[in-house]
Amino acid sequence: MRILHYDCFAGISGDMNLGALIDIGVDSKKLVAELEKLGIDSWKLSVSREMRGGLSGVRVNVETPETHAGSHGEGHKHCHFHRSFADIKKIIGASSLSDSVKSRALTIFSYLAEAESSVHGVSPDDVRFHEVGAVDSIIDIVGCAVCYELLKIDSVSSSAVELGGGVVRCAHGLLPVPAPATAILAKKFPSKINGAMHECTTPTGAAIIAALAKSFDAPISGRIAAVGIGIGSRDFPELPNALRVLLYDTEEASPFGGGYPEGCSEETLIEFAANIDDMSAERISHLCGSLFAASALDVWQEGIFMKKGRAATKVCALARREDSKKILSAYFGNSSTLGVRCREVSRISLARESFFKKTPFGDLRAKRSFFNGVAREKIEFDEIRKIADETGMGMEEILGKIGDGEPKDR
């Protein structure tokens, strides 16, 4: 199993990530050949070796007519051409890149769009990326997805991420570090602040970790196959402006041996279970709600019979390892159970994104998944229920008007 571990001791940005992946062994010519499938004209990938704080690494710069390097660090280049998330999806979707590259790139962008939509109060599709929408950042994100495919990465882990401190100048003026979108994305991973008085992690870098890393500071056993250093554009006295990545070949094999369909991704999660025979249905419902509030990815109940022949309920939850403490606290603080069983499980999932779908009832929250070149859309059930409550219409009538769940060609 090939695990890519991010050591974000000085943060992460899109260009630092590309530099580290090239340093770890990606052929820059093969990377450029894949990126040319985007059909974007007038850009050039500049790759050089530089030093930061005594560390030698790869510096990547994307040169385009639309941007020119600013004095505020990577991820904050002056952009005269903005793109919406909808525009970016069309560019990626229309390209001849592989399904797995498209899915991974769109997943990263969807995390960015969700964060920016929360900051600016607009739907994700309508978010207009000032820095991130520029060609150089599209190259950073799609390039990351290409590198993962070339390196045949099975799983991603990360250290806690240094976010930085002070203020940063961007399209909206001076903003505190972490920038608003970075702060929202950092809810998805452990982080540190004020390790240096500058922006260490950009929204692009935060989105990469939020979207791709499945474990944080978890033990890894195996052989380090390669080490890569990505160099940032500036030199700081507090911390080297660098990102380190380590490629591990581990003895732990995926139970599927990588034999799942293209476009799917595998992650290791923790499954929790507790057998309960002395709680009411109302209390069990409250327990399930508390598990979701504790960051469970899924919660379900199973009917069982216990050793004395009493009917009981097995309450199960699925969560990431880093959320285990919160999950266990939810079990022991909201139920009568004296013990919780835990085991590692592998989850194979389709690439998906959240968006707002235009319907006769307005813009509704929805999810879109991708498989075999087909996008399947489904509006969140709570949205349907709300319309039913407000209008008195039946579920089937509402679904008929919005055409929910119909597969669409990507």
Side-chain angles (χ1 to χ4, degrees):
M1 192 172 183
R2 290 168 72 82
I3 299 175
L4 187 67
H5 178 74
Y6 282 88
D7 182 7
C8 302
F9 69 98
I12 176 174
S13 66
D15 56 345
M16 290 165 66
N17 178 59
L18 261 192
L21 295 175
I22 290 173
D23 196 35
I24 214 169
V26 170
D27 186 327
S28 60
K29 292 181 180 178
K30 289 183 180 179
L31 172 60
V32 169
E34 289 296 305
L35 290 171
E36 286 175 344
K37 295 178 181 179
L38 284 167
I40 299 176
D41 296 327
S42 303
W43 62 271
K44 179 182 176 183
L45 196 69
S46 172
V47 179
S48 60
R49 182 160 290 277
E50 299 184 16
M51 297 284 292
R52 294 288 185 274
L55 296 174
S56 172
V58 171
R59 168 81 181 117
V60 169
N61 187 44
V62 181
E63 301 170 4
T64 77
E66 297 175 1
T67 60
H68 62 86
S71 60
H72 310 293
E74 62 282 354
H76 288 283
K77 298 177 180 178
H78 299 293
C79 175
H80 304 288
F81 184 79
H82 302 167
R83 284 187 172 91
S84 69
F85 183 37
D87 296 330
I88 292 168
K89 286 192 289 187
K90 288 178 183 176
I91 292 171
I92 296 173
S95 74
S96 58
L97 291 162
S98 71
D99 281 352
S100 61
V101 168
K102 289 180 181 180
S103 296
R104 188 170 280 124
L106 286 171
T107 298
I108 298 170
F109 264 118
S110 69
Y111 272 74
L112 270 172
E114 286 287 337
E116 293 286 359
S117 70
S118 178
V119 171
H120 301 297
V122 298
S123 72
D125 269 357
D126 294 330
V127 167
R128 302 198 67 81
F129 295 106
H130 303 290
E131 288 82 23
V132 176
V135 170
D136 58 338
S137 292
I138 295 176
I139 297 298
D140 285 345
I141 289 174
V142 178
C144 171
V146 169
C147 288
Y148 273 48
E149 183 169 78
L150 293 174
L151 290 169
K152 302 185 186 310
I153 300 301
D154 295 308
S155 185
V156 180
S157 71
S158 177
S159 67
V161 180
E162 176 61 58
L163 303 181
V167 296
V168 64
R169 184 179 299 279
C170 65
H172 304 287
L174 282 177
L175 291 175
V177 173
T182 301
I184 291 173
L185 287 161
K187 293 180 180 180
K188 305 289 185 181
F189 53 80
S191 63
K192 302 177 288 183
I193 60 172
N194 296 328
M197 288 297 103
H198 60 266
E199 183 184 42
C200 293
T201 297
T202 65
T204 300
I208 289 169
I209 296 298
L212 303 181
K214 305 305 181 186
S215 62
F216 299 92
D217 286 326
I220 302 174
S221 177
R223 179 180 63 86
I224 295 179
V227 179
I229 302 290
I231 297 295
S233 62
R234 296 183 295 169
D235 205 355
F236 301 108
E238 309 103 317
L239 286 172
N241 193 12
L243 166 71
R244 184 171 69 162
V245 296
L246 299 93
L247 181 60
Y248 269 88
D249 284 334
T250 74
E251 297 178 358
E252 177 190 357
S254 162
F256 297 93
Y260 38 81
E262 184 177 7
C264 298
S265 61
E266 181 181 355
E267 60 184 320
T268 300
L269 302 173
I270 307 298
E271 183 180 304
F272 302 82
N275 296 345
I276 300 172
D277 66 355
D278 58 354
M279 284 175 57
S280 66
E282 292 90 346
R283 290 179 62 197
I284 288 177
S285 176
H286 174 74
L287 168 62
C288 292
S290 69
L291 290 168
F292 275 120
S295 301
L297 301 173
D298 195 10
V299 178
W300 66 98
Q301 303 174 35
E302 300 176 8
I304 59 172
F305 287 92
M306 295 183 65
K307 59 185 178 183
K308 294 183 179 180
R310 289 188 296 225
T313 302
K314 180 164 74 169
V315 180
C316 305
L318 196 63
R320 295 192 169 90
R321 180 184 296 274
E322 63 269 20
D323 294 318
S324 295
K325 184 177 180 180
K326 292 188 293 183
I327 296 295
L328 291 172
S329 294
Y331 270 109
F332 292 129
N334 296 280
S335 77
S336 59
T337 190
L338 300 179
V340 179
R341 297 184 303 281
C342 310
R343 65 188 181 105
E344 282 193 349
V345 296
S346 289
R347 180 172 76 166
I348 310 300
S349 57
L350 295 176
R352 81 284 304 269
E353 63 184 17
S354 298
F355 69 106
F356 282 84
K357 181 175 181 178
K358 296 186 184 300
T359 76
F361 303 98
D363 290 348
L364 303 181
R365 290 181 298 112
K367 288 182 180 177
R368 183 185 292 120
S369 61
F370 305 95
F371 184 65
N372 280 348
V374 175
R376 292 178 172 84
E377 298 177 355
K378 182 175 178 61
I379 292 176
E380 297 285 2
F381 181 76
D382 286 346
E383 299 277 72
I384 307 297
R385 182 169 56 188
K386 182 180 178 182
I387 294 169
D389 291 342
E390 291 175 350
T391 65
M393 295 172 63
M395 290 286 182
E396 294 303 314
E397 183 180 1
I398 296 170
L399 291 172
K401 288 182 179 294
I402 63 179
D404 188 36
E406 294 297 322
K408 301 179 184 295
D409 289 338
R410 194 171 340 164

